[in-house]
Amino acid sequence: MPVRQMKESSEQHLVIKPHLQNPMNQAKKTTKAAQNGKGPPPQENHNQTSPHSKNKGRRRGRGGRKPDQGDVMMRPSCRPCTATLTSTANENAENGCISDMGFPTSSKSLTFAPRPGYGQVGTKCIVKANHFFAELPDKDLNQYDVTITPEVSSRTVNRSIIAELVRLYKESDLGMRLPAYDGRKSLYTAGQLPFAWREFKIKLIDEEDGVNGPKREREYRVVIKFVARANLYHLGQFLAGRRADAPQEALQILDIVLRELSTKRYCPIGRSFFSPDIRTPQRLGEGLESWCGFYQSIRPTQMGLSLNIDMASAAFIEPLPVVEFVGQLLAKDVLSRPLSDADRIKIKKALRGVKVEVTHRGSVRRKYRVSGLTSQPTRELVFPVDENSTMKSVVEYFQEMYGFTIQYTHLPCLQVGNQKKANYLPMEACKIVEGQRYTKRLNEKQITALLKVTCQRPRDRENDILRTVQHNAYDQDPYAKEFGIKISEKLASVEARILPAPWLKYHESGKEKNCLPQVGQWNMMNKKMINGMTVSRWACINFSRSVQDSVARTFCNELAQMCQVSGMEFNPESVIPIYNAKPEQVEKALKHVYHVSGSKIKGKELELLLAILPDNNGSLYGDLKRICETDLGLISQCCLTKHVFKITKQYLANVSLKINVKMGGRNTVLLDAVSSRIPLVSDMPTIIFGADVTHPENGEELSPSIAAVVASQDWPEVTKYAGLVCAQAHRQELIQDLYKTWQDPVRGTVSGGMIRDLLVSFRKATGQKPLRIIFYRDGVSEGQFYQVLLYELDAIRKACASLEPNYQPPVTFIVVQKRHHTRLFANNYRDRSSTDRSGNILPGTVVDTKICHPTEFDFYLCSHAGIQGTSRPAHYHVLWDENNFTPDGIQSLTNNLCYTYARCTRSVSVVPPAYYAHLAAFRARFYMEPDMQDNGSAGDGNGHGAKATRAAGDYSVKPLPDLKENVKRVMFYC
């Protein structure tokens, strides 16, 4: 899940004018059935009546009518500007009331779209969810501020201090109260303490004090002061749907209370708890092991408070003797051979920040954090032992002081402490402390090993979750008892519906013109792409030493035939013979093929480059994509050596699908789309956006985040997408380049940005301006909903207004979440009609009751068939809806779009525009040059991606190189 970049502020919200709130309020007044929780009756898609048909005239009044096909200029609509933001904009006069792009501050009146009822379409069924009903306590919840002096940065030490305080004073000064503590500044009680303010003095033995000398006893001054009483009535009203604002304080208290005992028992990391006792740790290689654990979170739902429990796994550093860890890390014998400089660097990176304990002092197990590694071997290390600078070797010191003989004197020592006063510890005298999570990037073998541990069949996962709940024994939890919280031990039973799969349209020349997927999948047999493209000029470059020319030719011929069979016109002959190249000369080889091919086809462009890569190709793939897409303007398709040797029809068919969409074609479309039967899409030109931000790995502190936005470029089919990418400040979640302005010496203030560019691109591709916008936003955590909606909806508004005065098509803004912990299980695994082959729930399963938000417009949709492990449904949260979607409308549209993913003949787990945005952002990371780790200089701001972005108070970010125009127009990231 993305790391929170900004603290949520209650002051940073839109001020909504009354005329904009009315359409959202009208969504509540759909039908009596919807108000009663039954929702509208099932309807055929093409006859769907809802707020859409009832309000058609009203929407047309704000630009919702269909334009003439020959209408070249974007026509202004009479829809008024909808959002007023506090701003220092100087473009207000130019763009009406649309304000300048900055992070605005305004009042607290932004509310998310309310739930307009419940869906009715689909076959009803019962599923189980890993949510456990939590009975709301009837006790007063009180919050106290905790100040510990001297200040302590470690939560563990803080908890030890408060635990000692409770042990000493529970029966006296605390009035028999058992408080829950968050490890920082807040302490909570059920009922008031006998005082409003009190100071305590607590003594603790410092387990990690100093390298030499006895352990010291430290004294802490603890001040506890009453702050507030949590409003449980407010929480009850919210859970009953009578209040829209969640009482976060009360929810936080209950969450902390239920985590208190597990925090003491297990190793807490984020919202999860891990222990080597839950299941035997499995080795991942290079000194790492997997620990099993469980995720726990209290959530407000329609059924009341719910405790969400899920299984979890994470990589931990194996608690080995340091010498053994180093041996595993380097995969060689380190006891007899000296280390190379490369070995030393690898060890230093792996151990920096890791906590170790000494083993050479019997029962005394002091702990230290590793700060570095000595450049010299232990036998060469000396240090001063007194004020006269008398020098003594490390080997002598340990022999004389502890009677410990250092055997492996050729190994370096660990450095602990700071640089000014670093202390040396021999590797063989240290052991890694248990329970340290590994936060750096895992290699491919480690990832594969970890996935084997985490991949559980649904029934096994369900049983493990139930065992976890029983083992946690919340009914015996002293903290749960103290606060009056009761947790059910049964999985929640939830009403669900299985949405029908959509009919897909293929080309008329194929034997099968239409196709109805079965259990989320189908194949290309007897079908032809609905828009197969032509590839006349192509070349192949072979970077794999093990692939002979004859093998490569056979593969290319087979691939060309498959493209033809699938509906493309593909020239069986390449422009030039297959060119063999070394991976380390990728740029030289690509430019050679590009220029030689160009001279042979006399000025025409090479349309496609096939590239055969070694299976383990390091940076080759990324370098090839960067050069092709930002330098040469080449569309490329990479194939691994293992697939070239073992040619299967399934593989060739999948590659042909990817090639076709990269060339600008369409593989299939929804039959309802070409029949104009998709509600709120078919009736007027509609553009569907997908947006995502990917952040760098932990430890890459200066690498920028990458934002990507894709948008549909065809209507009414809504299948082809164009994409744009940009770099922005490190771990910034708000997409900075959605809309931007800059000063041009000739044109003055110029507008640009990804939204504006894609709107213009849609207009050029379809001949129509979009009159409706649907925006799927991926990668946003709940704590960021307000900021992302506020900032990005504002950017969409300004991008539209910059094209025409008063051009403001209605927007539906939907957040897509995959990194959540809700899992859905079949009610009866023996009923084969209710599960797929993997034992998972069927594709199309949707849930919008009971475990969903009490008042807001959200739903869980499992749109794909499981392959292995337990399927994870996507969580869709409609934050803003000016198009007045019914639940059936948005759920069916989202599910149907999941069958249009271009790269395979399966429905996918996330709506394709969000999926494509993720792929594009991931691809763009390859475009970063090595020096992008450093602070780049700002560009001139001309055109997309050519201007450095700057977060408030942050350094400038070096822009990504521009994509070539022919690359931008197609789905290059597929």
Side-chain angles (χ1 to χ4, degrees):
M1 166 174 300
V3 174
R4 281 185 69 174
Q5 174 69 14
M6 308 182 70
K7 284 183 71 177
E8 185 175 353
S9 168
S10 61
E11 295 181 357
Q12 293 170 338
H13 301 301
L14 280 168
V15 178
I16 308 300
K17 291 189 176 179
H19 67 259
L20 180 58
Q21 286 181 331
N22 288 340
M24 292 179 62
N25 293 337
Q26 286 171 7
K28 291 181 178 177
K29 304 172 185 176
T30 48
T31 63
K32 286 185 179 179
Q35 289 170 344
N36 293 333
K38 296 178 181 177
Q43 300 168 48
E44 293 281 329
N45 276 349
H46 54 284
N47 290 327
Q48 182 153 346
T49 59
S50 62
H52 151 60
S53 57
K54 291 178 184 177
N55 297 318
K56 187 181 286 185
R58 176 180 59 78
R59 264 202 316 279
R60 283 183 178 171
R62 61 183 186 191
R65 65 182 180 80
K66 287 190 178 183
D68 297 329
Q69 292 292 327
D71 184 11
V72 176
M73 294 298 291
M74 284 201 167
R75 231 182 244 133
S77 82
C78 59
R79 183 173 185 271
C81 184
T82 56
T84 304
L85 300 170
T86 307
S87 175
T88 57
N90 55 12
E91 70 179 80
N92 287 348
E94 179 182 300
N95 290 342
C97 67
I98 300 297
S99 63
D100 191 29
M101 199 65 168
F103 201 79
T105 57
S106 59
S107 82
K108 204 176 172 184
S109 60
L110 175 67
T111 56
F112 298 144
R115 187 180 301 282
Y118 298 92
Q120 295 291 299
V121 169
T123 305
K124 291 185 178 178
C125 65
I126 299 293
V127 295
K128 290 176 286 187
N130 58 336
H131 286 246
F132 298 84
F133 178 68
E135 191 175 322
L136 194 66
D138 58 358
K139 301 191 178 185
D140 284 340
L141 301 183
N142 296 273
Q143 179 181 355
Y144 292 83
D145 181 71
V146 175
T147 305
I148 298 175
T149 310
E151 190 174 341
V152 179
S153 60
S154 165
R155 280 196 184 194
T156 305
V157 176
N158 280 341
R159 289 184 189 281
S160 297
I161 294 166
I162 298 301
E164 180 68 5
L165 187 152
V166 172
R167 187 184 70 82
L168 293 173
Y169 297 105
K170 179 184 175 184
E171 295 181 7
S172 54
D173 296 55
L174 300 184
M176 295 301 294
R177 301 287 183 206
L178 180 63
Y181 176 52
D182 70 353
R184 294 287 189 215
K185 294 286 291 179
S186 297
L187 183 127
Y188 305 99
T189 62
Q192 286 190 308
L193 293 173
F195 55 83
W197 182 97
R198 184 150 301 179
E199 179 180 316
F200 299 87
K201 289 186 178 177
I202 303 297
K203 292 182 179 180
L204 269 193
I205 292 175
D206 191 341
E207 294 290 340
E208 301 177 22
D209 179 51
V211 175
N212 303 311
K215 295 180 185 177
R216 288 189 305 178
E217 194 175 58
R218 292 206 174 190
E219 184 173 279
Y220 299 93
R221 177 172 162 263
V222 182
V223 175
I224 297 177
K225 184 173 68 173
F226 176 77
V227 175
R229 185 173 293 125
N231 190 341
L232 285 187
Y233 175 76
H234 181 174
L235 178 57
Q237 293 290 98
F238 171 72
L239 293 171
R242 289 190 282 271
R243 288 192 67 155
D245 57 320
Q248 294 298 339
E249 298 83 4
L251 289 169
Q252 184 180 2
I253 293 170
L254 298 174
D255 196 51
I256 289 167
V257 169
L258 287 171
R259 297 171 64 79
E260 188 74 27
L261 189 60
S262 292
T263 300
K264 289 176 166 58
R265 285 179 174 173
Y266 307 113
C267 175
I269 293 175
R271 290 191 169 272
S272 297
F273 300 95
F274 297 92
S275 170
D277 301 326
I278 292 175
R279 198 186 300 166
T280 304
Q282 301 293 311
R283 282 193 164 179
L284 302 177
E286 295 192 11
L288 303 186
E289 63 182 8
S290 68
W291 279 21
C292 286
F294 63 94
Y295 167 93
Q296 174 180 302
S297 176
I298 195 106
R299 300 187 62 79
T301 66
Q302 292 169 32
M303 70 177 183
L305 278 180
S306 159
L307 191 66
N308 181 203
I309 301 283
D310 190 25
M311 303 315 296
S313 290
F316 282 74
I317 302 171
E318 199 170 347
L320 296 168
V322 170
V323 171
E324 193 177 328
F325 172 85
V326 169
Q328 280 201 30
L329 179 71
L330 302 178
K332 65 182 184 183
D333 175 24
V334 297
L335 300 181
S336 56
R337 289 192 233 163
L339 299 178
S340 66
D341 288 341
D343 290 338
R344 191 176 282 105
I345 291 169
K346 189 172 183 180
I347 297 167
K348 185 177 179 179
K349 283 183 178 179
L351 286 177
R352 184 185 288 144
V354 172
K355 196 177 284 187
V356 296
E357 60 183 5
V358 295
T359 57
H360 65 287
R361 299 183 59 190
S363 60
V364 178
R365 289 292 179 114
R366 292 264 177 89
K367 296 175 183 175
Y368 310 96
R369 201 170 289 279
V370 177
S371 58
L373 201 67
T374 61
S375 56
Q376 299 164 288
T378 303
R379 60 174 169 251
E380 296 177 15
L381 291 172
V382 293
F383 65 98
V385 291
D386 56 31
E387 294 178 356
N388 299 322
S389 296
T390 305
M391 305 302 285
K392 183 170 284 191
S393 73
V394 170
V395 174
E396 289 173 341
Y397 177 81
F398 274 82
Q399 182 66 56
E400 294 173 11
M401 190 73 180
Y402 306 113
F404 181 78
T405 303
I406 300 174
Q407 296 180 30
Y408 310 117
T409 58
H410 65 287
L411 295 176
C413 274
L414 303 179
Q415 287 179 304
V416 297
N418 55 42
Q419 288 183 345
K420 290 182 180 178
K421 191 179 179 182
N423 294 288
Y424 303 141
L425 288 176
M427 282 189 183
E428 61 196 273
C430 298
K431 180 177 183 289
I432 292 170
V433 174
E434 186 178 64
Q436 298 181 78
R437 189 181 178 190
Y438 184 77
T439 57
K440 301 181 181 76
R441 183 184 299 175
L442 299 175
N443 61 37
E444 285 188 20
K445 287 183 179 178
Q446 291 167 336
I447 291 171
T448 302
L450 186 60
L451 287 175
K452 282 183 181 177
V453 177
T454 57
C455 187
Q456 283 184 294
R457 290 292 188 195
R459 183 180 294 188
D460 297 333
R461 194 182 197 98
E462 180 187 340
N463 289 336
D464 275 0
I465 289 169
L466 286 169
R467 272 194 292 270
T468 298
V469 172
Q470 289 160 8
H471 183 263
N472 288 349
Y474 296 101
D475 59 332
Q476 301 299 317
D477 182 339
Y479 295 94
K481 280 183 175 181
E482 172 84 8
F483 284 79
I485 305 172
K486 296 177 182 175
I487 306 295
S488 167
E489 290 194 348
K490 291 184 178 179
L491 290 153
S493 248
V494 185
E495 287 185 1
R497 291 168 289 115
I498 302 169
L499 301 179
W503 279 90
L504 302 177
K505 174 71 177 168
Y506 280 91
H507 199 273
E508 292 291 325
S509 63
K511 289 183 181 178
E512 292 184 27
K513 300 171 181 61
N514 300 328
C515 165
L516 181 63
Q518 300 297 317
V519 197
Q521 50 193 318
W522 65 103
N523 58 50
M524 284 294 293
M525 285 181 62
N526 300 322
K527 304 174 190 68
K528 289 188 181 292
M529 301 158 176
I530 192 159
N531 293 120
M533 299 303 287
T534 298
V535 177
S536 303
R537 301 177 296 278
W538 61 277
C540 177
I541 186 166
N542 177 19
F543 288 102
S544 178
R545 290 186 178 88
S546 58
V547 175
Q548 303 300 318
D549 275 0
S550 58
V551 176
R553 275 197 301 273
T554 301
F555 175 78
C556 289
N557 290 338
E558 294 275 349
L559 181 57
Q561 286 179 30
M562 179 57 75
C563 288
Q564 290 168 346
V565 167
S566 299
M568 295 180 68
E569 289 186 27
F570 201 103
N571 186 346
E573 296 297 325
S574 60
V575 171
I576 60 172
I578 292 169
Y579 183 75
N580 296 302
K582 296 177 180 178
E584 58 272 18
Q585 296 178 340
V586 56
E587 185 168 7
K588 180 181 176 183
L590 290 172
K591 288 183 176 178
H592 173 80
V593 168
Y594 178 77
H595 292 303
V596 170
S597 300
S599 62
K600 188 145 188 186
I601 51 185
K602 296 177 182 176
K604 293 181 181 178
E605 289 185 350
L606 191 65
E607 295 166 325
L608 176 68
L609 178 71
L610 296 177
I612 298 172
L613 308 185
D615 293 334
N616 298 313
N617 54 72
S619 64
L620 174 60
Y621 175 85
D623 290 340
L624 184 146
K625 292 297 182 183
R626 173 177 53 80
I627 296 162
C628 285
E629 290 160 10
T630 67
D631 187 5
L632 302 178
L634 271 179
I635 302 299
S636 59
Q637 177 60 52
C638 295
C639 305
L640 293 177
T641 297
K642 61 184 178 183
H643 298 303
V644 172
F645 277 119
K646 187 182 178 182
I647 302 173
T648 65
K649 288 195 173 181
Q650 181 66 54
Y651 174 75
L652 294 176
N654 284 348
V655 173
S656 69
L657 295 176
K658 294 171 74 173
I659 290 173
N660 190 48
V661 295
K662 286 179 183 180
M663 302 306 299
R666 284 180 293 214
N667 296 330
T668 184
V669 297
L670 297 170
L671 185 60
D672 277 353
V674 293
S675 307
S676 298
R677 291 185 304 208
I678 301 181
L680 299 182
V681 172
S682 297
D683 62 330
M684 66 176 70
T686 300
I687 186 169
I688 300 183
F689 285 93
D692 190 20
V693 178
T694 64
H695 301 293
E697 298 280 342
N698 289 330
E700 296 180 21
E701 295 305 321
L702 292 179
S703 293
S705 292
I706 303 290
V709 180
V710 305
S712 57
Q713 299 293 291
D714 55 346
W715 180 82
E717 296 89 348
V718 196
T719 305
K720 290 171 67 172
Y721 291 82
L724 295 173
V725 292
C726 70
Q728 59 186 43
H730 177 77
R731 296 217 167 265
Q732 170 65 264
E733 185 57 49
L734 306 176
I735 302 178
Q736 300 297 295
D737 272 5
L738 288 182
Y739 175 73
K740 61 183 180 181
T741 59
W742 65 91
Q743 293 299 318
D744 183 271
V746 178
R747 295 178 292 168
T749 302
V750 181
S751 298
M754 295 192 280
I755 295 289
R756 191 182 195 278
D757 291 353
L758 290 167
L759 288 170
V760 171
S761 178
F762 179 95
R763 179 70 183 79
K764 288 178 180 176
T766 65
Q768 315 219 41
K769 67 177 180 181
L771 298 180
R772 180 180 286 117
I773 292 174
I774 301 170
F775 195 93
Y776 286 99
R777 177 64 157 91
D778 197 4
V780 183
S781 63
E782 289 175 5
Q784 296 169 312
F785 280 5
Y786 276 101
Q787 291 118 320
V788 169
L789 177 62
L790 173 69
Y791 189 91
E792 296 182 6
L793 181 63
D794 182 46
I796 295 168
R797 291 267 177 267
K798 288 202 288 289
C800 293
S802 72
L803 293 168
E804 279 183 8
N806 298 322
Y807 170 56
Q808 289 294 315
V811 177
T812 296
F813 193 107
I814 308 155
V815 166
V816 188
Q817 292 176 303
K818 278 289 281 182
R819 293 186 178 181
H820 60 81
H821 287 270
T822 292
R823 299 291 183 273
L824 302 175
F825 303 100
N827 192 47
N828 181 4
Y829 292 104
R830 286 190 287 272
D831 180 7
R832 293 294 179 189
S833 64
S834 65
T835 62
D836 61 21
R837 288 181 192 171
S838 64
N840 278 292
I841 55 173
L842 293 171
T845 301
V846 64
V847 169
D848 61 3
T849 62
K850 201 165 182 177
I851 60 171
C852 293
H853 195 279
T855 59
E856 293 168 11
F857 192 0
D858 71 326
F859 59 92
Y860 291 95
L861 172 64
C862 181
S863 51
H864 66 297
I867 299 176
Q868 56 181 353
T870 303
S871 295
R872 187 198 315 237
H875 186 212
Y876 296 89
H877 207 122
V878 183
L879 298 187
W880 195 259
D881 184 23
E882 294 171 349
N883 290 299
N884 294 330
F885 271 101
T886 63
D888 283 329
I890 193 66
Q891 290 165 13
S892 294
L893 171 65
T894 303
N895 184 58
N896 291 353
L897 286 174
C898 289
Y899 285 80
T900 64
Y901 185 64
R903 306 207 309 174
C904 61
T905 52
R906 296 176 66 94
S907 59
V908 288
S909 60
V910 175
V911 68
Y915 205 146
Y916 294 145
H918 177 78
L919 292 175
F922 188 79
R923 169 66 59 81
R925 215 156 262 295
F926 295 130
Y927 302 159
M928 293 192 302
E929 298 169 16
D931 64 351
M932 285 196 74
Q933 296 289 340
D934 303 322
N935 297 353
S937 57
D940 61 4
N942 296 322
H944 172 74
K947 182 182 180 184
T949 57
R950 185 188 295 273
D954 210 332
Y955 59 86
S956 59
V957 176
K958 188 172 181 179
L960 297 173
D962 277 334
L963 290 168
K964 292 295 183 182
E965 284 302 319
N966 65 317
V967 174
K968 283 184 191 177
R969 292 193 297 266
V970 297
M971 295 164 68
F972 63 92
Y973 40 80
C974 275

